[in-house]
Amino acid sequence: MSQIRRVVRSWKSVPTIEGAGVHLKRALGFQGLSPESIRSFCSMTFIPTVRQKYLPGFPWHPHRGIETITYVLEGKVAHVTAWELGIIGIGDVQWMTAGSGIIHQEMPEGETDGRLWGLQLWTNLPSSHKMMSPRYRELKLKTSQKLF
């Protein structure tokens, strides 16, 4: 028997600016929620659709003790670390485990018409994994598959 959960609280995303001037919408991580109320989720961000709002990107910056999951619906995002270059596009997912620490950059690229849409979820790693080695993984949508 499955258990049905009820919605405890809802809110709208909030516009914010991050990186080198990227305009985005934050759905988690700003409401003053207690760590217990959202458990392991740190932040959920929606990437904008207008070229001028994402073009500056997220140049070299550090992370530690978290994992980011990026999902692209339209456009591409280039992810660069000291040892890896990955480009994810429509339907692709990317996991970056920061663990003991990583310096990386994420540079969004839109479609030829400038469209870009996706989301990124930050999760807090359990204390037993905070100092693990950083890693990067991609899951690519096969070109024969359809998103919807």
Side-chain angles (χ1 to χ4, degrees), residues 29-45:
F30 66 89
Q31 302 86 352
L33 299 171
S34 68
E36 297 80 31
S37 66
I38 58 173
R39 309 247 179 208
S40 63
F41 297 107
C42 301
S43 172
M44 184 170 183
T45 303

Side-chain angles (χ1 to χ4, degrees), residues 13-138:
S13 60
V14 173
T16 189
I17 299 174
E18 285 197 2
V22 177
H23 295 250
L24 44 83
K25 291 184 179 179
R26 169 113 345 103
L28 281 178
F30 66 89
Q31 302 86 352
L33 299 171
S34 68
E36 297 80 31
S37 66
I38 58 173
R39 309 247 179 208
S40 63
F41 297 107
C42 301
S43 172
M44 184 170 183
T45 303
F46 294 89
I47 301 168
T49 57
V50 180
R51 185 182 305 269
Q52 294 81 357
K53 293 191 175 195
Y54 67 76
L55 204 54
F58 305 91
W60 294 103
H61 61 281
H63 285 288
R64 182 175 175 207
I66 65 168
E67 183 162 53
T68 63
I69 300 100
T70 305
Y71 178 57
V72 176
L73 292 162
E74 292 184 273
K76 294 184 266 188
V77 176
H79 182 268
V80 184
T81 67
W83 70 90
E84 188 85 36
L85 165 62
I87 298 176
I88 56 172
I90 297 173
D92 297 340
V93 178
Q94 173 271 120
W95 286 266
M96 182 192 72
T97 305
S100 60
I102 191 168
I103 296 176
H104 75 124
Q105 66 177 347
E106 296 156 295
M107 302 308 282
E109 302 172 26
E111 296 291 325
T112 53
D113 63 0
R115 290 178 305 153
L116 175 71
W117 187 249
L119 61 94
Q120 187 173 76
L121 178 66
W122 291 17
T123 60
N124 192 16
L125 289 171
S127 58
S128 61
H129 292 79
K130 292 270 186 194
M131 296 307 288
M132 70 186 295
S133 296
R135 61 185 177 186
Y136 173 80
R137 298 176 305 281
E138 292 179 354

